[in-house]
Amino acid sequence: MPTFQPWTLKQARALFDKPFLDLLFNAQEVHRKYFKPGEIQVSTLLSIKTGACPEDCKYCPQSARHRANVNSEQLIQVEQVLDAARKARDSGSTRFCMGAAWKNPYDRDLPILEKMIRGVKEIGLETCMTLGMLNDRQANRLAKAGLDFYNHNLDTSPEFYSSIVTTRKYQDRLDTISAIRQAGIKVCSGGIIGLGETIDDRAGLLVQLANLPEPPESVPINMLVKVHGTPLSNAEDVEPFDFIRTIAVARIMMPRSYVRLSAGREKMNDQIQALCFMAGTNSVFYGCQLLTTSNPEEDRDISLFNKLGLTIERVSTARSDVEDMNELTKKIVPVNTAQYYNAED
């Protein structure tokens, strides 16, 4: 159970209704209280299995049910992943995210996924995966391999969810997040703005995330990338100020979480992105490709970072929390050995 006072929809909606400049000021105050200003976390995302997904998410060009121009590819080779990870590291990323278009992974795929995790960590990057739904056993295997983060977005509010996805329930997503957390993997979970949702839906999404037993360590806020052939290809554009408001409210409601400016960034000019950073963004996807959609080129990002005086956060990737626990467990001296001291003797 949460140890904090849960957020209500009314409280979240009140934040959305605040005057824009007051909201940004409050968000920046919260951000500076919990994070070093001017420092951002940088991730790179690679599609390790593309297309032919059985899900019917209306926003996704990888769904086999839609007619987007996406070539299906099987799970790629481990060495291809490691080559991409090296390039990401050399370009400045500190976390490498691997995404597969699955409803859920099969057990036969886990040995390859475990090799990918171990290999990327040896390169010196934090690891993240998004593979669809996981059961407890699968989550534990990925944790033992050293996976640092798992991404599983809630997408939108519980009330609006069935309008976007019908091939899984909202509770399925919550159950996967619970399995991830119980396995000791850090949670990356956020949503998408621009699906046709209301302001209450945006508030409801953030209430769901903030009121998890432990809020996600990373909260990606995506702006819908409209892809021809998907049911939402003609969705109404999101007003930039409304998107920035969502970033600011997420920062206030989840003060210790990294808030990531994610998909849709290619369509944002430098001024919009600067306001997102002012509103509390301190994480971005970096590189030219996000799964099957484009992202700003690295040179443009570097130029923007320099203009704003942003520096990349450095991390230690020696071992994950689960690996540390396993190592400590090995050092525990068993009972009934010469090294064990029994106070009752």
Side-chain angles (χ1 to χ4, degrees):
M1 295 295 293
T3 57
F4 54 88
Q5 186 66 35
W7 285 90
T8 66
L9 183 61
K10 182 178 179 180
Q11 290 172 321
R13 182 58 198 256
L15 290 175
F16 274 95
D17 291 340
K18 292 190 72 160
F20 182 77
L21 295 180
D22 289 347
L23 178 63
L24 253 63
F25 180 77
N26 291 350
Q28 183 61 202
E29 283 186 311
V30 171
H31 180 72
R32 287 173 176 265
K33 181 178 179 180
Y34 293 97
F35 290 97
K36 182 178 178 180
E39 190 171 79
I40 59 170
Q41 186 278 322
V42 176
S43 299
T44 293
L45 177 61
L46 175 71
S47 178
I48 60 173
K49 186 272 176 186
T50 305
C53 180
E55 301 276 34
D56 68 352
C57 309
K58 289 185 178 180
Y59 53 80
C60 186
Q62 300 203 66
S63 172
R65 300 164 185 253
H66 308 329
R67 296 187 177 181
N69 187 24
V70 172
N71 294 323
S72 298
E73 298 176 359
Q74 297 299 315
L75 189 64
I76 66 176
Q77 298 297 312
V78 173
E79 195 52 47
Q80 291 176 270
V81 173
L82 300 186
D83 285 344
R86 293 185 191 98
K87 291 176 182 177
R89 178 200 60 193
D90 294 344
S91 296
S93 288
T94 59
R95 186 179 305 161
F96 192 71
C97 303
M98 296 158 273
W102 284 322
K103 184 170 185 176
N104 51 270
Y106 292 103
D107 288 347
R108 65 172 181 261
D109 300 312
L110 290 178
I112 299 175
L113 299 174
E114 291 163 345
K115 288 181 180 179
M116 291 177 182
I117 294 167
R118 295 188 183 103
V120 171
K121 288 181 74 71
E122 288 175 0
I123 288 170
L125 293 169
E126 289 184 319
T127 54
C128 179
M129 283 188 162
T130 177
L131 313 169
M133 294 185 291
L134 295 179
N135 58 41
D136 292 340
R137 180 174 44 76
Q138 291 171 328
N140 285 325
R141 283 191 61 171
L142 295 178
K144 289 179 181 178
L147 186 64
D148 298 295
F149 289 83
Y150 193 87
N151 168 257
H152 201 65
N153 291 333
L154 293 182
D155 288 347
T156 188
S157 69
E159 294 78 14
F160 190 62
Y161 185 77
S162 61
S163 300
I164 304 300
V165 184
T166 66
T167 49
R168 73 172 90 177
K169 303 294 186 182
Y170 205 79
Q171 188 60 48
D172 293 332
R173 291 190 180 265
L174 293 173
D175 290 345
T176 291
I177 290 174
S178 177
I180 295 163
R181 183 66 77 190
Q182 291 297 319
I185 301 171
K186 296 181 178 69
V187 173
C188 173
S189 186
I192 305 171
I193 307 305
L195 303 174
E197 75 284 350
T198 65
I199 301 299
D200 279 349
D201 289 317
R202 294 172 190 172
L205 165 68
L206 298 182
V207 166
Q208 287 289 316
L209 292 167
N211 287 350
L212 288 170
E214 185 177 350
E217 283 81 2
S218 179
V219 181
I221 304 295
N222 301 272
M223 183 183 287
L224 175 67
V225 177
K226 293 180 283 187
V227 180
H228 182 71
T230 64
L232 292 177
S233 60
N234 295 316
E236 185 176 345
D237 289 341
V238 177
E239 216 292 328
F241 286 108
D242 290 340
F243 184 82
I244 298 163
R245 280 183 183 276
T246 307
I247 294 281
V249 175
R251 166 52 62 220
I252 292 169
M253 292 178 63
M254 291 170 279
R256 293 179 174 84
S257 301
Y258 284 79
V259 177
R260 178 180 297 151
L261 189 56
S262 197
R265 198 158 66 88
E266 187 196 28
K267 301 296 184 182
M268 301 178 192
N269 61 30
D270 287 356
Q271 291 77 15
I272 292 174
Q273 292 190 65
L275 284 174
C276 287
F277 289 120
M278 189 69 186
T281 291
N282 60 340
S283 177
V284 295
F285 271 128
Y286 180 74
C288 300
Q289 191 77 13
L290 294 180
L291 295 180
T292 60
T293 58
S294 56
N295 201 43
E297 293 188 1
E298 293 161 357
D299 289 347
R300 178 188 163 192
D301 282 337
I302 292 171
S303 175
L304 177 60
F305 295 166
N306 288 337
K307 287 177 185 177
L308 300 179
L310 299 176
T311 59
I312 297 175
E313 178 187 70
R314 297 301 169 187
V315 298
S316 172
T317 60
R319 285 198 298 250
S320 69
D321 293 343
V322 172
E323 288 175 305
D324 281 336
M325 183 61 68
N326 289 341
E327 188 64 27
L328 288 172
T329 301
K330 292 177 183 177
K331 295 179 180 179
I332 295 175
V333 178
V335 179
N336 299 325
T337 65
Q339 292 85 2
Y340 182 77
Y341 172 72
N342 190 337
E344 294 181 356
D345 290 345

